[in-house]
Amino acid sequence: LSLDGTGRRFGIVAARFHGAVVDRLLAGAESALLAHGVAAADIEVVRVPGAWEIPAGLDALARSGRFSALIALGVLIRGGTLHFEVIANECSRGIAEVSRRRELPVTFGVLTCETMAQAVARAGGEEGNKGEEAALAALEMASLLDRLRQHRAS
């Protein structure tokens, strides 16, 4: 298991909606990347309006070909309508599609919670920081894909 980010570039797409909680996820992600050797200049953060727009932001970054992995960060809180299910389903489907189509690791740090208290608990509270977890997964997957590509080339 290699979490060495030295020399690797990471893109983060973070939603502005529920910004206070997303900012905590973002801080956790950036902190994890920096702690594992990623240079601050090699972390690019793009803000999008909400979870619906995350896949489009990810795809734009992926098309650039400059990144070892991407990280998606956002917060969805269930309401009284089907809006939550529609956005959660399409956001997750879009994130997975970008990863597959662009052959690039894209990790999922989008909270899908029943309440704001649950989101806060998962953004640096008693449930940890899912932004940090998404960054660690991105580090691991970037290393794994590099090894697999090198193996294929030899």
Side-chain angles (χ1 to χ4, degrees):
L1 175 67
S2 174
L3 297 179
D4 182 14
T6 305
R8 292 193 168 107
R9 290 184 50 86
F10 292 84
I12 302 173
V13 176
R16 284 193 305 274
F17 199 75
H18 297 304
V21 180
V22 175
D23 286 348
R24 292 171 66 175
L25 296 171
L26 179 57
E30 289 177 315
S31 177
L33 293 173
L34 293 169
H36 288 87
V38 180
D42 288 336
I43 302 170
E44 183 171 337
V45 178
V46 174
R47 298 306 285 249
V48 295
W52 180 262
E53 293 81 17
I54 289 172
L58 291 168
D59 197 55
L61 290 180
R63 279 194 318 266
S64 76
R66 295 181 293 129
F67 298 98
S68 300
L70 301 175
I71 301 163
L73 301 175
V75 176
L76 289 163
I77 308 295
R78 186 182 301 278
T81 68
L82 289 175
H83 184 257
F84 172 88
E85 284 83 2
V86 170
I87 301 299
N89 289 338
E90 292 305 314
C91 177
S92 59
R93 187 181 343 268
I95 291 168
E97 181 181 322
V98 169
S99 183
R100 284 190 299 269
R101 187 165 18 99
R102 302 293 178 192
E103 297 181 6
L104 183 69
V106 182
T107 61
F108 193 86
V110 179
L111 302 181
T112 53
C113 299
E114 297 291 330
T115 65
M116 182 58 76
Q118 288 177 344
V120 169
R122 288 160 177 77
E126 58 270 13
E127 298 289 329
N129 189 308
K130 301 304 178 183
E132 177 184 356
E133 291 177 21
L136 294 174
L139 285 159
E140 182 177 348
M141 290 302 296
S143 177
L144 172 66
L145 263 60
D146 280 351
R147 284 195 319 273
L148 292 174
R149 287 179 182 129
Q150 289 170 1
H151 181 71
R152 244 188 317 193
S154 59

